[in-house]
Amino acid sequence: MINSYFAYESFWELETYSHFLQVISTIGKSKEMTNAVNLPGAALNTKEHYDKFAELLRYLETNYSEQLSLDSVSSQVGFSKYHFVRLFKDYTGSTFYDYLTDKRIQHAKELLSTNAGITDIAFSCGFNNQTSFCRTFKKVCGCPPTEYRRTIMMSQSNK
């Protein structure tokens, strides 16, 4: 959030606000989880699930650029793939692949403000090829990475 705030790049205010909303959402979910654990009849392993997912989200935060599959990640936390999909959606409000894609695109946005090549950015963010990266970036952001970079460079030159 701090980097977005002080970057003064295009849409920095919206990006900062987005980070702020994520923080508030995480706090709210944490409070909701605390309440769920204290409810009579709540599943005995709710706290255990929460701890596993908190650890998993920390892992994804630092390893999103690796080739992660639903099977490997679900087995890492000790759930069947189908149980994992349901729990992941419950805890994050997002599917596993949407969450992973969001992390990768956020990192790509940061790298697009540098002179790194699009292919290098694609691989460093965990995409298998430039085509897949460009397609996904355009779907998520509404414009191709080259146009996003051009917008960033123009806004920096206008300062």
Side-chain angles (χ1 to χ4, degrees):
M1 184 181 337
I2 293 170
N3 292 340
S4 297
Y5 181 78
F6 289 109
Y8 297 108
E9 298 175 354
S10 296
F11 305 108
W12 69 270
E13 294 168 314
L14 288 174
E15 192 170 347
T16 302
Y17 184 69
S18 171
H19 289 297
F20 175 74
L21 289 177
Q22 287 176 335
V23 168
I24 297 300
S25 174
T26 302
I27 292 169
K29 287 177 185 175
S30 175
K31 177 71 175 157
E32 183 179 326
M33 286 304 305
T34 303
N35 290 341
V37 170
N38 295 329
L39 290 175
L44 295 176
N45 56 1
T46 301
K47 176 74 171 125
E48 179 184 340
H49 288 178
Y50 179 79
D51 290 343
K52 283 183 179 183
F53 272 90
E55 183 179 329
L56 172 67
L57 294 179
R58 283 190 298 274
Y59 175 80
L60 292 177
E61 190 68 35
T62 58
N63 297 291
Y64 58 84
S65 62
E66 294 179 15
Q67 294 302 312
L68 302 170
S69 71
L70 188 57
D71 290 327
S72 67
V73 174
S74 61
S75 65
Q76 180 179 341
V77 291
F79 297 121
S80 72
K81 180 168 66 171
Y82 302 104
H83 190 58
F84 174 79
V85 167
R86 185 180 59 78
L87 289 175
F88 194 89
K89 179 83 170 175
D90 288 346
Y91 284 97
T92 64
S94 176
T95 67
F96 170 71
Y97 286 113
D98 286 346
Y99 185 88
L100 186 58
T101 298
D102 184 57
K103 290 290 174 206
R104 290 174 173 173
I105 294 298
Q106 292 305 318
H107 183 65
K109 285 179 176 181
E110 293 171 13
L111 293 176
L112 284 167
S113 65
T114 67
N115 290 327
I118 300 294
T119 303
D120 294 334
I121 292 172
F123 287 126
S124 70
C125 292
F127 291 91
N128 292 326
N129 56 59
Q130 180 180 347
T131 305
S132 170
F133 167 64
C134 291
R135 186 181 326 111
T136 303
F137 192 93
K138 185 174 182 178
K139 181 180 175 185
V140 172
C141 299
C143 66
T146 52
E147 186 177 322
Y148 182 85
R149 174 180 271 167
R150 199 173 317 122
T151 304
I152 290 172
M153 296 302 177
M154 287 175 57
S155 70
Q156 288 176 348
S157 67
N158 290 335
K159 290 183 183 179

